[in-house]
Amino acid sequence: MSSTPEDNRRTPEGHRSAPQDTRNLLEETRRTPDDQPRTPQVAPHTPEVGLRTPQDHPHTSEDRPQGPRVVVIGAGIVGCSLADELTARGWTDVTVLEQGPLPAPGGSTSHAPGLVFRTSPSKTLAEFATYTVEKFCSLEVDGVPCFNQVGGLELATTPERLAELHRRAGYAAAWGIRGEVVSTARCKELWPLLDESVVLGGFHTPDDGLARALLAARAQMDRATARGARFLDRHTVTGIEQTGGRVTAVVTDRGTFPADHVVSAAGFWGPVIGRMAGVDVPLQPLAHQYARTGPVPELSGATAEATRPILRFQDRDLYFREHTDRIGIGSYAHRPMPVDPFTVPAYDEARAQDMEMPSSYPLTAQDWAPSWEDCRRLLPALRGTEIESGFNGVFSFTPDGMPVLGEARQVRGFWLAEAVWVTHSAGVAKAVAEWMVDGRPSLDVHECDLTRFEEAQRSPSYVRERGSQQFVEVYDVLHPLQPMERPRPLRVSPFHTRQQQLGGFFLESNGWERPHWYEANAPLVDALGDLPERDAWSARYWSPIAAAEARATREKVALYDMTPLRRLEVTGPGALAFLDRMTSNNLRKKPGAVTYTLLLDETGGIRSDLTVARLAPDRFQVGANSPADLDRLLRHAPADVQIRDITSGTCCIGVWGPLARDLVQPLTRDDFSHEGFGYFRAKQAYLGHVPVTAMRLSYVGELGWELYTTADLGLRLWDTLWEAGQELGVIAAGRSAFNSLRLEKGYRAWGTDMTDEHTPFEAGVGFAVRMDKEGFVGQEALRKRAEPTRRLTPLLLDDPAAVVLGKEPVYVDGAPAGYVTSASYGYTLGRCVAYAWLPAGLATGAGVHIEYVGEKVPATVADEPLFDPKMTRIRR
C-alpha cells in the first residue's frame, strides 16, 4: 500500500517449499501492492532454503552463539530487518519464526506495492523512512537492487491541496529531505501520461522511490543468516511461555524455542500473538484496494520495471506506480473494510479458499468503480485499457496511525514491532534493535511507544473505530489541531457541564475534551481593538476570543481546566529515595515543597518533565505527562514504593491572574498570602466546603494556584470559585490562551519542545538539574556531554500579522538550520512567538526566516523569558 500515515496454523510441508529465484521474487512484487510490512506471525525457513529445523539445529552451547536468545515472530520485512540489525550489533542467537513459506510468506510484505514517500509531519516517521531508503539502496539480491530510486510526485488539483504540498515541502526541509513544489509543466514532464489541465502543481521528492520489499527481506535474511541467525518457516506459534513476569520461550506446533527476548513482528496478526503473551496490541487490520491495468499503449516497449516517479493523487485518495507496460493503482477512496485478525486464514487455508495469500482478499468491484473513473480522468491513457487483476490487501492501522514499539512491562522481554509499513521498516528495526541492545533508540520514538495509549483508548471498539478512521484520513489534509470526530465525548472533567453552558469550543487530546475558548467571552473581544487578520489555515480552530481570554488572565483572573494533566501518587518508606534517584533536581525538601524536575534516561536525554509535590514525609503527588512516565517509574520502583495513577479520580483548576489571591483568600481560613504560601509550595486547605491540595504554581506566568480535589467534589469547587469571582470579573479560559501565555514565559512542553533526543542544557531547563546531588539517572552521562551545539531558541516574528504553527523549517543564512517546535501568537507582546531547535551560536538579535506555506517569514532571535523576566508577577 502507499506509504504514509501522518503501520496460523501449520501448512503442509510440501506446499511451495522451494525458494523462488530473483525473477520470481520480482514478479511477485509486480503482482502485488507495496508499502505495508505485516507478515504472518510464525514460520520457519524450509530445509530447501538451506536452513535447519529445530531438530536439525538444537539450542546447545556447542553450536549456538552465546548471548541473549532472541525469537522474532514474523519473517516479513520488519522481522527480517530486525534480525539483520540485531545480528549486526552482535546479538547473533536470533531465531525468526514464520507461519507461511519463505521467502514470500503471505503477509502484508508479500503484497506490498513498495511506494516509499519519506515526508511526514512526524519527524520520527521521516527519520525511519530515510534510514529505510538509505539501507535498501545499499542492498541487492543477485545483482538486482532492493530499491528503485525513481522519486516521488504528489499532485494538487485543488488550491487547498497545493497549499498542503507547500506545507509538506516545509516538513521535508525541516527533516532534511530533498523536495520542491513544482509547476504543472514540470509535473507533465515527470509523468507525460497526466492530463495537465486538472493539475495545479506538485511536490517532487527525487530520492523517494520503490522498495522491492521481498528482495529487501531476502537480502537482510541472507545477511542475518551469515552472522548466525536462523529463519524457520511453517512454524505456527501457539503460545508464549513466561515465568515470574519474564518471557522464557515461544511454543510452536513444531517445538518450543527458549528465549530471553521475544519480538512480535507479526503484522496484522499482532493482536493474536499479543493475546498469547497477555499483552494488548492496539491495532486494527484493514483491507486496501490495489489493481493493475492491462498493457497501456503509451508504455508499449517498456522494459524497466519503473522509470517515472511514484505518483500520488491524494485529492482522490489514489496512488500509481509503473509495472513495466502496466500501471498499478492503489485506492484509499473506498469504505473502511476492517478485518478480524483472529479469523484470518492460515496460508494453505487461504489458498484452499482461492486466495493468493492470507493478506489478499478478492477485489470488491463496487468499491473500485468510482476510483477507476478518477484514474482515467487523471491519466487519459488508461481509457484504452481495463483492469487486469486486483485484490484487497490487508495491513494494520492504530488509533493514531503510528507504529506500536517497545517492551511490555507486564511481560519483560516481550517486545512489539507492530503496525509498521514497508516505508519505515528498516528504520523501525534499527530503533528496536538499539532499544534491545543499548537500552534506548538513538532517536525519539515516544510517538510510537506502546505505552502511549490511555486505558480508555484500548477497547476493541475504540481501536476498530479509530483505526478505520485513520484509513479514511490517510490522504486527507489534516490540520495539526484537528480533533477526531468519534467517539466523542469520551473523557470529560467534572466541570464539563459548566463549560458547555459557557459555550466551550472543545478539541480533543488523549480522549479528553479540552475547551480551547468560550463563546461566553465573545463580548470581551470588542475591547481589544484590531487584531491582525489571520490566513485561513492558521485561523482554523482559532478564535479572537483566545486573545480576550489571555488579556483577562493578565489583567484580572481566569479559571483553567487542568484536569487532563496526569497525576501520580507515590507513597511508601522508600518514596523519597526512589524519586530523588530517578529525577534530576533535589527533592530532599520538607513536606510542602514543590519541585520542577526532569526524568532523564541513562544518556541524559529528557524522558519527561515532572512537578513533584511532597505532601507528607512518605507521600508525593507527581504531575507527569504520559502513560510512559507511569510505566517507567513502575519498572524501577522498589518493593517499598507504591505508585498509582490518580488522574481519573481527581481534578484540577488553575486559578491565575493578578486577582487570583483576591479570589481564593476569602474562601479559606488558611493563609494564602505571599509570606504564608510561597511560590512552589503546597498545602492542604478547604475552599468553602471543598478540601483541596493547593499548589502555588503558574504555567501562564501569573500569580495563582493549581487547586486539586476529588472528582466527586470537582463541580462544587468550580461553582465555589465561579460564584466568588463574579465581582472580580472572573472568566473561564481555554487552551488557546493558555498556550499563548506559556510561550510568552518560555515554558516548555515535553514531547513537543523537548524529548529524549535532547539534554536539559540544550533545552534550556538546566536549572532543573542538580549535578552536585548524590547519583541520579543520567548524571554521569551529563558529566561527559560536550558543550551543546544546538539549543531550543526563542524567536519573535518581525511582522505583527505573521503567524506560524509549528514544525516549519527555520533558515539561517538562506539554508535550513532547524525547525519550529511550538508557536503561538503572543497577545501581550503583539508578536507571534516561536521556539525552534537551532545552532547554539546564534546571538540575540540575529535574523532568521521561517518557511510558512511556501513563504519565508522573517524572525529574530530573542532573549527569554520574553515576558516578565524578573518574575515579579508570579511572586507577589
Side-chain angles (χ1 to χ4, degrees), residues 546-846:
E549 293 176 358
R551 180 173 177 176
T553 306
R554 291 276 189 243
E555 295 181 351
K556 294 183 180 181
V557 61
L559 306 184
Y560 288 83
D561 182 1
M562 305 302 289
T563 300
L565 299 185
R566 184 168 306 278
R567 292 171 290 285
L568 310 177
E569 183 182 72
V570 182
T571 58
L576 173 59
F578 168 64
L579 288 173
D580 203 47
R581 176 175 60 85
M582 291 297 295
T583 68
S584 63
N585 212 338
N586 175 30
L587 301 185
R588 296 184 179 275
K589 303 172 184 176
K590 294 180 180 179
V594 182
T595 306
Y596 177 80
T597 186
L598 305 173
L599 194 65
L600 305 179
D601 64 21
E602 288 72 13
T603 71
I606 304 170
R607 290 290 296 262
S608 187
D609 61 343
L610 311 176
T611 303
V612 180
R614 191 176 189 186
L615 302 180
D618 294 341
R619 181 165 69 93
F620 296 80
Q621 181 171 308
V622 178
N625 284 297
S626 75
D629 298 344
L630 174 62
D631 183 83
R632 182 167 177 81
L633 292 174
L634 286 172
R635 286 175 186 267
H636 293 86
D640 61 351
V641 174
Q642 295 79 48
I643 306 171
R644 67 188 185 101
D645 190 329
I646 61 172
T647 309
S648 60
T650 57
C651 59
C652 178
I653 299 175
V655 182
W656 291 311
L659 301 183
R661 185 174 288 116
D662 299 285
L663 173 55
V664 298
Q665 184 63 81
L667 298 172
T668 181
R669 294 181 179 180
D670 288 276
D671 185 359
F672 272 59
S673 70
H674 182 63
E675 295 73 22
F677 197 157
Y679 191 52
F680 267 85
R681 299 292 298 172
K683 67 169 62 177
Q684 311 288 333
Y686 283 92
L687 294 183
H689 300 285
V690 181
V692 299
T693 298
M695 299 185 195
R696 191 169 168 198
L697 306 174
S698 176
Y699 205 49
V700 299
E702 294 293 336
L703 170 69
W705 289 264
E706 293 179 358
L707 303 174
Y708 299 88
T709 192
T710 53
D712 59 326
L713 290 168
L715 189 58
R716 185 60 180 264
L717 176 61
W718 180 281
D719 289 345
T720 298
L721 293 167
W722 187 257
E723 181 180 349
Q726 289 307 299
E727 63 183 24
L728 301 173
V730 70
I731 67 161
R735 295 295 297 182
S736 186
F738 176 88
N739 198 47
S740 170
L741 297 170
R742 71 101 178 167
L743 281 172
E744 289 185 331
K745 283 298 294 180
Y747 293 148
R748 277 60 167 155
W750 186 85
T752 301
D753 298 314
M754 56 189 186
T755 69
D756 62 5
E757 288 188 355
H758 311 113
T759 71
F761 307 112
E762 293 173 327
V765 289
F767 62 87
V769 178
R770 292 291 178 266
M771 292 299 293
D772 56 349
K773 83 168 187 176
E774 189 174 349
F776 61 88
V777 173
Q779 185 178 41
E780 288 308 309
L782 289 180
R783 293 189 198 281
K784 298 173 184 177
R785 287 269 192 167
E787 186 70 18
T789 59
R790 59 181 178 176
R791 293 190 188 279
L792 188 60
T793 305
L795 303 173
L796 280 175
L797 274 63
D798 295 351
D799 182 352
V803 172
V804 298
L805 299 181
K807 298 188 177 182
E808 295 90 356
V810 181
Y811 289 76
V812 177
D813 296 330
Y819 59 92
V820 174
T821 57
S822 294
S824 180
Y825 200 85
Y827 302 108
T828 316
L829 302 172
R831 292 284 192 282
C832 182
V833 180
Y835 272 77
W837 281 102
L838 291 171
L842 287 178
T844 299

Side-chain angles (χ1 to χ4, degrees), residues 409-525:
R409 177 175 46 83
Q410 312 94 300
V411 186
R412 302 300 294 272
F414 183 80
W415 296 77
L416 296 180
E418 295 292 7
V420 184
W421 294 12
V422 169
T423 295
H424 311 112
S425 55
V428 163
K430 177 175 179 282
V432 173
E434 290 172 335
W435 210 339
M436 296 174 71
V437 176
D438 304 326
R440 59 154 284 173
S442 58
L443 72 154
D444 166 49
V445 297
H446 82 273
E447 294 176 309
C448 311
D449 195 302
L450 62 87
T451 64
R452 70 188 183 272
F453 295 112
E454 303 284 350
E455 192 65 29
Q457 297 174 299
R458 290 181 171 272
S459 71
S461 59
Y462 184 93
V463 172
R464 179 186 176 97
E465 187 167 2
R466 292 302 308 145
S468 297
Q469 187 61 25
Q470 288 295 328
F471 176 92
V472 171
E473 295 175 352
V474 162
Y475 282 164
D476 286 0
V477 176
L478 299 176
H479 193 276
L481 293 177
Q482 185 168 329
M484 67 180 189
E485 296 179 2
R486 301 182 308 273
R488 291 182 66 191
L490 183 63
R491 307 175 78 186
V492 298
S493 78
F495 327 126
H496 187 65
T497 300
R498 297 293 183 264
Q499 292 166 342
Q500 288 178 308
Q501 292 168 352
L502 292 170
F505 180 86
F506 294 91
L507 299 180
E508 178 272 342
S509 178
N510 295 321
W512 285 102
E513 294 294 319
R514 307 189 77 166
H516 274 240
W517 64 82
Y518 296 88
E519 290 297 329
N521 296 323
L524 302 178
V525 174

